[in-house]
């Protein structure tokens, strides 16, 4: 959480920092701040709340200069307030720092710095950094930052500037993402590449325990221990239009609408001559194909990514016949999981930065398991933890609520299941062929769901005043129910619960009355008849039903008015279409409630704290 940015060059830093923070705001929006160096010293401006508030209050003569840092915050230590906003500076106001992460031993450091006479103004853990750097400063900012970082425990990505050395910036990382953007006589530092796409597509990803010494002409990377690092720049393939709204009112609806093309990107290279290909899985191919090697697959993820893993579990068991489990990354390492060298962990993370997922993967690797990551951000932290990474190529996702990256995760997982299945045993040709055909046609199937946006909006508008929803599904679409409910909760603040329909009569059915809309997934499947009976149970108790059904299902047509129809598709590809329908529904409910769809309260897109 939190986004950091830094600029050093010839242009006005303020405009570049604000532009970058706008792209980073998805990482947190409790407060924002800037610090810019100029002849008068350090010009710092902060404000509680979103970046827009800071921009409105900034006067034209404030924060003028060519070197500066900026921050957008998701509060951990200390409430969201102007005093707790970054950048933080030391008592003499000559060293300023922006920080993403948590300094775990900050209390201890703060006590000893206070005893030495340093005065703190905030309740944050981060404020110890400028004071500590100040206490180490003996004329060389790089050495002072190194000295300070040797004392701290925890995670950080930081950018540091000082009035003593106004043409220098120092940045460092441990556990939080950091990337350097290379320009012509100018350089940027940021939490991710979206913040610098307007200025450069040449970037260098910084790794843990590395520190970077930056001026206008030069970028020098070394380890904290002092070893120089040579690393080539990478070219970012994303372009600026992908991080702009392009006429849509919100990023979320833009990203929902982009799904035909994001899915095409995810799928196209991976099906060739009727077969699934995954060149990146080559190092694990032999073990994947051999039942005497991997005999258990554990899917891991948080939130939406956990739901994707849940779908993955059904797929791998159905097609590859490998016992599979799914766990929330945040629970995994505390549940004494049984792991052996024959365990394969598949960690799913859009950002590749979720701390719980990184820690879960680390734990699994330490206990002998092999690990694959499915991620959307090339060069993200998770890629360094695993044996193999599958990039989903969904393009940048800015809205806090995941949409296109979820459907790309599902597409990757279905292809992964077929790939492994093919290595293990000849599959029932019919079912693989139809599934592969449907996967290839997913972009056009999704287009058909998207053409119903206005009828889904119509339903959403009518239901937008209800305060509780139940989502019911079974089998592979039980996770779809969980995901539908999560989407509604997070952007519309409506209480919603995903539930396995068959379990309802064991308790939850008591909740049903005419104030409880029930969203029922009743698309064509092995459990269609059972699902129909479960719906009838709701109907008989005056529950208001919104059905998700397959086009042409006459029984549903006759029973329910509020139905969203999906094109006919293989049951195992249906979660993708259902997800799109649920995203649209949640989006329109939230939009009709007048809520901030892209930046829902209390959330941040990359959860980089435990
Ligand atoms: C919900 C959502 C979150 C993320 C979760 C994991 O819409 O976006 O639940 O799925 O925070 O994030 P990643 O996939 O980046 O690890």
């Amino acid at each position: 959480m939190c986004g950091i940015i830094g600029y050093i060059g010839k242009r006005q830093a303020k405009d570049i920092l604000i532009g970058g923070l706008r792209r980073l705001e998805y990482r947190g929006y409790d407060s924002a701040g800037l610090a810019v160096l100029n002849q008068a010293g350090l010009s710092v401006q902060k404000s509680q709340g979103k970046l827009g508030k800071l921009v409105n209050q900034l006067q034209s003569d404030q924060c003028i200069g060519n070197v500066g840092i900026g921050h957008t915050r998701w509060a951990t230590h200390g409430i969201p307030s102007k005093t707790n906003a970054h950048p933080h500076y030391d008592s003499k106001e000559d060293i300023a720092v922006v920080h993403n992460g948590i300094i775990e031993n900050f209390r201890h450091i703060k006590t000893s710095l206070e005893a030495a006479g340093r005065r703190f103004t905030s309740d944050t853990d981060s404020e110890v950094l400028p004071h500590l750097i100040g206490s180490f400063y003996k004329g060389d900012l790089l050495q002072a930052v190194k000295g300070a970082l040797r004392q701290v425990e925890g995670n950080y990505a930081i950018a540091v500037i000082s009035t003593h050395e106004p043409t220098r910036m120092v940045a460092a990382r441990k556990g939080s993402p950091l990337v350097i953007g290379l320009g012509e006589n100018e350089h940027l530092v940021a939490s991710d590449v979206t913040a610098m796409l307007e200025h450069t597509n040449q970037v260098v990803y910084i790794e843990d325990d590395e520190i970077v010494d930056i001026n206008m002409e030069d970028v020098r990377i070394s380890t904290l221990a002092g070893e120089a690092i040579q690393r080539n720049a990478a070219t970012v393939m994303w372009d600026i239009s992908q991080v702009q709204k392009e006429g849509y009112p919100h990023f979320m609806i833009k990203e929902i609408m982009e799904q035909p093309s994001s899915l095409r990107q995810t799928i196209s290279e991976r099906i060739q001559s009727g077969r699934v290909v995954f060149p990146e899985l080559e190092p694990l191919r032999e073990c994947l194909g051999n039942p005497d090697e991997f005999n258990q697959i554990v899917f891991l993820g948080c939130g939406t990514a956990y739901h994707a893993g849940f779908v993955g579990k059904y797929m791998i068991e159905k097609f590859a016949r490998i016992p599979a489990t799914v766990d929330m990354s945040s629970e995994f390492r505390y549940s004494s999981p049984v792991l052996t060298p024959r365990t394969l962990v598949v960690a799913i993370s859009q950002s590749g930065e979720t701390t719980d997922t990184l820690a879960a993967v680390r734990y699994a690797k330490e206990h002998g398991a092999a690990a694959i990551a499915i991620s959307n951000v090339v060069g993200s932290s998770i890629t360094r933890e695993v044996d193999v990474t599958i990039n989903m190529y969904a393009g940048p996702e800015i809205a806090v609520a995941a949409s296109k990256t979820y459907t790309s995760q599902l597409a990757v997982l279905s292809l992964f299941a077929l790939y492994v299945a093919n290595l293990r045993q000849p599959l029932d040709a019919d079912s693989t062929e139809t599934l592969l055909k449907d996967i290839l046609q997913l972009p056009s199937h999704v287009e058909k769901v998207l053409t119903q946006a206005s009828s889904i909006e119509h339903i959403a508008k009518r239901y937008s005043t209800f305060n509780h929803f139940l989502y019911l599904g079974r089998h592979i679409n039980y996770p779809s129910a969980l995901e539908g409910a999560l989407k509604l909760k997070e952007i519309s603040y409506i209480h919603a619960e995903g539930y396995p329909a068959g379990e309802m009569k064991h308790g939850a059915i008591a909740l049903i009355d005419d104030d409880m809309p029930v969203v029922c997934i009743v698309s064509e499947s092995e459990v269609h008849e059972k699902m129909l009976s479960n719906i009838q149970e709701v109907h008989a108790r005056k529950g208001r039903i919104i059905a998700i059904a397959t086009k042409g299902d006459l029984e549903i047509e006759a029973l329910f008015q509020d139905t969203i129809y999906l094109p006919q598709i293989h049951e195992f590809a249906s979660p993708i279409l259902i997800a799109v329908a649920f995203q649209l529904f949640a989006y329109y409910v939230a939009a009709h409630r007048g809520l901030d769809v892209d930046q829902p309260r209390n959330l941040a897109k990359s959860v980089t704290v435990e």
Side-chain angles (χ1 to χ4, degrees), residues 302-305 348-352 354 357 400-402 409 486-487 490 605 607:
C302 292
T304 290
I348 303 158
S349 177
Q350 182 283 127
S351 62
T354 300
T357 304
V400 163
Q409 284 163 356
L486 177 64
K487 219 76 312 167
E490 67 180 326
K605 192 157 184 75
V607 184

Side-chain angles (χ1 to χ4, degrees), residues 252 301-307 329 348-355 357 374 377 382 392 397 399-403 405-406 409 483 486-487 490-491 603-607:
M252 185 173 179
C302 292
T304 290
Y306 164 74
H307 299 151
S329 313
I348 303 158
S349 177
Q350 182 283 127
S351 62
E353 302 294 345
T354 300
T355 296
T357 304
I374 299 176
V377 180
I382 202 162
M392 46 177 141
E397 189 176 69
V400 163
S403 57
T405 56
Y406 178 62
Q409 284 163 356
E483 174 60 11
L486 177 64
K487 219 76 312 167
E490 67 180 326
I491 60 170
L603 290 174
K605 192 157 184 75
S606 288
V607 184

Side-chain angles (χ1 to χ4, degrees), residues 13-67:
K14 175 164 71 174
D15 306 334
I16 293 162
L17 298 175
I18 288 172
L21 287 179
R22 209 162 264 135
R23 308 265 173 256
L24 292 173
E25 217 181 356
Y26 72 86
R27 302 177 67 88
Y29 27 86
D30 288 333
S31 62
L34 301 179
V36 175
L37 287 173
N38 54 38
Q39 267 142 12
L42 206 53
S43 171
V44 182
Q45 289 299 320
K46 312 177 185 193
S47 129
Q48 185 189 338
K50 296 193 174 176
L51 178 67
K53 221 172 132 200
L54 176 72
V55 173
N56 289 340
Q57 86 182 25
L58 257 182
Q59 312 207 340
S60 55
D61 59 346
Q62 290 174 326
C63 292
I64 297 299
N66 312 117
V67 179

Side-chain angles (χ1 to χ4, degrees), residues 252-309:
M252 185 173 179
I253 188 68
K254 175 183 178 238
E255 287 158 4
I256 292 173
M257 294 295 175
E258 275 171 359
Q259 287 175 108
S261 86
S262 53
L263 282 165
R264 214 165 271 129
Q265 296 262 66
T266 302
I267 295 162
S268 59
E269 298 288 306
R270 293 189 165 123
I271 303 181
Q272 287 172 19
S273 317
R275 298 197 49 224
V276 180
V277 291
F278 268 114
E280 53 276 68
L281 288 177
E282 210 46 47
L284 294 178
R285 186 184 157 90
E286 218 166 284
C287 298
L288 285 168
N290 185 349
D292 294 328
E293 296 283 351
F294 293 142
N295 65 353
Q296 178 203 14
I297 296 190
V298 180
F299 291 96
L300 293 175
C302 292
T304 290
Y306 164 74
H307 299 151

Side-chain angles (χ1 to χ4, degrees), residues 325-495:
T325 54
V326 59
D327 220 333
M328 292 169 191
S329 313
S330 53
E331 287 295 313
F332 177 68
R333 60 197 195 285
Y334 305 109
S335 61
S336 315
V338 179
L339 300 164
T340 73
R342 296 177 67 195
T343 306
L344 173 68
V345 160
V346 179
I348 303 158
S349 177
Q350 182 283 127
S351 62
E353 302 294 345
T354 300
T355 296
D356 281 318
T357 304
L358 293 175
V361 170
R362 234 167 263 149
Y363 180 96
K365 294 281 295 172
E366 279 160 18
H367 289 76
I372 294 178
I374 299 176
S375 174
N376 192 40
V377 180
V378 175
S380 62
S381 299
I382 202 162
T383 61
R384 287 186 277 274
E385 302 283 345
V386 293
D387 300 290
V388 156
T389 302
I390 301 177
N391 289 309
M392 46 177 141
Y393 305 123
E397 189 176 69
I398 308 293
V400 163
S403 57
K404 63 176 180 172
T405 56
Y406 178 62
T407 50
S408 281
Q409 284 163 356
L410 296 184
V412 167
L413 286 163
S414 57
L415 292 170
F416 175 71
L418 290 179
Y419 175 84
V420 179
N422 259 315
L423 296 176
R424 293 241 164 166
Q425 64 197 9
L427 273 174
D428 157 14
D430 266 4
S431 110
T432 328
E433 218 176 284
T434 9
L435 180 53
L436 258 190
K437 215 169 83 204
D438 276 344
I439 293 175
L440 265 175
Q441 284 181 3
L442 271 169
S444 61
H445 286 312
V446 166
E447 262 156 25
K448 288 183 195 130
V449 180
L450 293 174
T451 58
Q452 296 178 67
S454 61
S455 62
I456 296 176
E457 178 173 11
H458 192 66
I459 301 175
K461 194 173 169 186
R462 278 193 294 110
Y463 282 89
S464 61
T465 54
F466 285 86
N467 290 320
H468 304 276
F469 278 72
L470 204 55
Y471 281 68
L472 298 180
R474 293 188 77 135
H475 187 232
I476 196 161
N477 281 315
Y478 165 42
S480 302
L482 295 174
E483 174 60 11
L486 177 64
K487 219 76 312 167
L488 191 67
K489 272 188 269 215
E490 67 180 326
I491 60 170
S492 70
Y493 316 149
I494 292 173
H495 167 240

